Each structure stands twice: as C-alpha cells, then as structure tokens.
Amino acid sequence: MKRLSLLVLLCAATPLVSCCTQSTKSSAAPKPDSGSFVQNTYRNDFFGFSYTLPGECHKSRVAPAALPSGAYYLFIGDRDTGHSLLNRVMVIADSESENSPGVSTQEYLSAYIRAQVRNASAEVIREPSSFVSGENNFYRADYKWVQNGITVYSSMVCAKRKSYWLSWTFVTPSQRDLDDAVNTLQHISFDRPSPR
C-alpha cells in the first residue's frame, strides 16, 4: 500500500509535470513515441536516446494519472530495495512550446521544485544546478518530504531535446538510494550530443 501511495502523493504534488498517460489534446510540437523497454534498456527513437537500468529494475504496473496537455509519460521503472518503498524512476517529456515557451531548463526545474515545496511540504536538499553525467549535460535538484512518518527522497533531472524538457524523476527511501538512482544516468546514450 505504501508503494502505491508514494506515487499518488508525487502525482498530486506536481502541477507542472504530473504523472503518466498521454494527453488527449493536440500539440504544436511533434508527438513523441513512448519508446520500448527490452532487456533492462529503455529506448526512445523520437528523442534519440537509450537508458540502461539495473538488472533488478522492471517496468512499473502502476495505473498512471493524466498529464497536462503537451506532456507525455515515456517510462516508469521500479526497483525493489527490500524497503517498504520501491526505488522509482519516471521519465517524462514536456513540450516547451505548449507549456512554458522561452523558459530555460533551470527555470523549468526551479518552478517544479517550488511546486514540490508548496504542495508536498518538501524540503530542498540540493538547489537546481547544472551537472554532467557521462557526456551529457543536465540540471538537477533534490528534495525530501515525510509521508506517513517515512522520509521520502526525490531528485528531478532535466535536459532539453527537440523542444521538449526530458525529465527523470527518482523517488527513493534513502539519500544513498537516491544517489545510486541518479548515477544510473551515466548509462544514458544520446544519438547526438545534448546542447550545452
């Protein structure tokens, strides 16, 4: 029950980037495909990247909530840690042209984090800042909140591709698990270098 309630809380607290299912409204930007997950590797040809996850990771069976217009859920992966909460990664594409034209990736991430602080009473533990993982440039911010007496740790990592913000949102039961989860970004391979 705690595993499901964690996603429900995260969905309720994310007005800019909610969770899951495809939007039914048309978008000015080309609609991305949802990609594929085969042998622990998520691949998305629209955005031109592959993301290899740890062997214990599997595609989630969570029934997702609706996304705002122009945003698309690409992948949800779960990893059992032996804790009552799963490690989860959610990959979302959000159209810049439809939702926040002219906003930088850092501004987009900062708005998301402010919403977490406001809606989930989260505490920021890492301010939005740029970092490099592998050969790729990202922005990252970390936060935590308490749910049913349990501290939940989360990180949102963003990059801009094809007029979309791609975000990886990690949710874990500990800071160490969070750092391990974010380190999986070293296994992302883009067909072309990400812009700086």
Side-chain angles (χ1 to χ4, degrees), residues 152-168:
V152 179
Y153 295 82
S154 192
S155 181
M156 183 176 180
V157 178
C158 292
K160 195 180 217 181
R161 305 282 293 184
K162 289 191 169 187
S163 297
Y164 279 87
W165 287 290
L166 291 181
S167 63
W168 287 258

Side-chain angles (χ1 to χ4, degrees), residues 8-79:
V8 170
L9 177 63
L10 187 63
C11 290
T14 54
L16 283 177
V17 184
S18 301
C19 289
C20 317
T21 67
Q22 310 307 333
S23 168
T24 56
K25 295 184 181 179
S26 64
S27 173
K31 180 181 171 185
D33 62 71
S34 60
S36 61
F37 185 62
V38 178
Q39 296 179 346
N40 292 43
T41 299
Y42 171 76
R43 171 85 191 147
N44 189 293
D45 292 326
F46 181 88
F47 292 109
F49 76 93
S50 61
Y51 175 35
T52 303
L53 291 116
E56 316 83 61
C57 193
H58 60 276
K59 190 171 183 177
S60 180
R61 293 180 181 85
V62 168
L67 278 170
S69 177
Y72 303 91
Y73 216 135
L74 302 179
F75 178 74
I76 304 172
D78 289 331
R79 183 179 180 193

Side-chain angles (χ1 to χ4, degrees), residues 134-147:
E135 297 179 4
N136 302 300
N137 298 300
F138 298 97
Y139 281 88
R140 173 183 177 182
D142 297 353
Y143 53 99
K144 66 181 180 179
W145 74 93
V146 176
Q147 178 192 0

Side-chain angles (χ1 to χ4, degrees), residues 123-140:
E123 174 188 342
V124 177
I125 53 179
R126 178 185 173 132
E127 293 291 334
S129 59
S130 64
F131 81 105
V132 176
S133 181
E135 297 179 4
N136 302 300
N137 298 300
F138 298 97
Y139 281 88
R140 173 183 177 182

Side-chain angles (χ1 to χ4, degrees), residues 3 79-87 173 177:
R3 291 179 183 182
R79 183 179 180 193
D80 190 359
T81 60
H83 191 274
S84 62
L85 296 174
L86 294 171
N87 279 354
D177 285 336

Side-chain angles (χ1 to χ4, degrees), residues 67-134:
L67 278 170
S69 177
Y72 303 91
Y73 216 135
L74 302 179
F75 178 74
I76 304 172
D78 289 331
R79 183 179 180 193
D80 190 359
T81 60
H83 191 274
S84 62
L85 296 174
L86 294 171
N87 279 354
R88 175 162 287 156
V89 59
M90 297 174 283
V91 184
I92 297 171
D94 193 3
S95 172
E96 172 196 23
S97 61
E98 190 155 329
N99 293 320
S100 298
V103 172
S104 72
T105 305
Q106 186 170 10
E107 291 169 328
Y108 175 81
L109 179 59
S110 294
Y112 176 88
I113 297 304
R114 284 192 306 272
Q116 295 305 309
V117 169
R118 182 177 58 250
N119 298 336
S121 299
E123 174 188 342
V124 177
I125 53 179
R126 178 185 173 132
E127 293 291 334
S129 59
S130 64
F131 81 105
V132 176
S133 181

